[in-house]
Amino acid sequence: MTSHSSPRPKVVIVGGGFAGFQSARSLARQMGDEVDIVLVSPTNYFLYLPLLPEVAAGILEPRRISVALAAALPPCVRHAPGEVDELDLDAQTIGWLDPEGVHHESRWDRLVVAAGSVHKVLPVPGVTQYAQGFRGVPEALYLRDHLIRQVELAAMCEDPEERAARLTTVVVGGGYTGTEVTAQGYLFTKELAASRGLPETPRWVLVSRGEILAGLAGHLSETADRVLRERGVDVRTHEEVEEATGDGVRLSSSGEHVPTRTLLWCVGVRPDPLIDDLGVEVDQGRLVVDTRLRVPGHPNVFACGDAAAVPDRARPGQYTAMTAQHAERQGKLAGRNVAASLRGGRMRTYKHRDLGFVVDLGGFDAAANPLGIRLTGKPAHVVARGYHLMAMPGNRVRTAVDWLMDALLPRQTAQLGLVRSPAVPLDSASPEVPQHGLGFPHRSAPPDQSATSSGRERPGGSAEAASPSADAAGASAEVSGEDPVEESPRSGAR
């Protein structure tokens, strides 16, 4: 235990997602004021990503799933708003840029790398220019406005082909993210089109390289596939997008051209690019660690979550999947092991046991298998929402009230236009913050090298053009493929 006359050891945690948040909370509970804990992240909130599709569908307000770090973490944890741009493991120093572009530096005694992940962009022509990702609040708000805009433009359109294209949404990726955003989005646009007097039902096309929710229990995959097809979603399994253009996408197997103004890219994630510059062993972009979450050769450095390649004791020779379920558990262990390393205690190894998963399909449709019990429909819906309320670190009452209001009242369909397409480029190192002069300096491509930031439009038409202020400012899958369990925003029951 550290004496009061000695400087407190400093622990810096990089990232405020599931892994970083749980690391900070676990360490604070273990040591309290004995240690100086600094959490560096670009946002001052923990984002409960599993409910992000409900934000895009107008069910929840974004602040419901954005839990302020100051409210959810003990007072001994200090939040440093910023993006890490310098990290020296040998000198034990870190540097970051704050929201106003001011550079800060600090030394650390222990480091926890929980930088998370970003969109995995495959080399498909036109994707970075015309597709949108789905990993942060800005993208969810943009998608919600965009869907409303397309329905309203379709209602005023006299050309039947253009109207059909505006009412068509193509989602690429049949994992958790793609499946749930399709399920929620279809119901949202169907209700919206009816309210605008459109006789047509919006078309949603879900394109997946494999089966829907492949890699999960057959009960979950089969239920999701059946529910989507029964609603009228055009599910294309064992299919890929060959090219994206300004007026649609071309599918690889059939060569079919699907006219659309909305292309959503949900094929999975890759570790944060920060990992590439650390000069240590990586595997498929993930920081290699031992079973105690320590980086070999750097005993004072720990890594967890999507950024870490953690040995999976349940599957010898493989690493744990990039899911929120693993990230949360590893974050808790990282906090305990950091405390043990500072006190000279015994560090634990990482092990896990899946207790089941939940898949929310919108309305009263869901699938779940808690403790191996197969549930569908309303029982699964109750289990799914109960699990989310239990797992959220705050805002439970507000979230439950929003769910109640959604069941009693029609959804609000005001299009605020606060997030424009240049602010949410697909190929971004920081999808959690808008990419413009009001946010952080980012590691993504500068404006003159980015298709979306250079004024080129997405399929949405002139309404998607860059704003003057933006122009002035500037699932257990292999990394090569798509898999639901590489998508850390989705996690099941513990």
Side-chain angles (χ1 to χ4, degrees), residues 149-161:
R149 181 185 305 118
Q150 294 310 306
V151 170
E152 293 183 339
L153 289 174
M156 296 299 297
C157 182
E158 297 181 358
D159 182 352
E161 292 185 359

Side-chain angles (χ1 to χ4, degrees), residues 81 97-103 439-441:
L97 291 171
D98 71 16
E100 298 181 348
V102 179
H103 189 264
F440 293 91

Side-chain angles (χ1 to χ4, degrees), residues 8 26-37 74 76-77 343:
R8 293 184 301 164
S26 174
L27 178 59
R29 287 175 174 174
Q30 294 284 323
M31 301 191 69
D33 292 332
E34 298 176 39
V35 63
D36 182 13
I37 307 172
C76 60
V77 179
R343 289 172 165 169

Side-chain angles (χ1 to χ4, degrees), residues 103-138:
H103 189 264
H104 302 262
E105 292 185 358
S106 176
R107 289 187 56 81
W108 45 265
D109 297 287
R110 297 292 186 275
L111 175 72
V112 179
V113 180
S117 54
V118 299
H119 300 298
K120 180 175 64 181
V121 182
L122 302 180
V124 177
V127 161
T128 56
Q129 181 176 353
Y130 296 111
Q132 179 208 334
F134 196 77
R135 283 192 58 76
V137 169

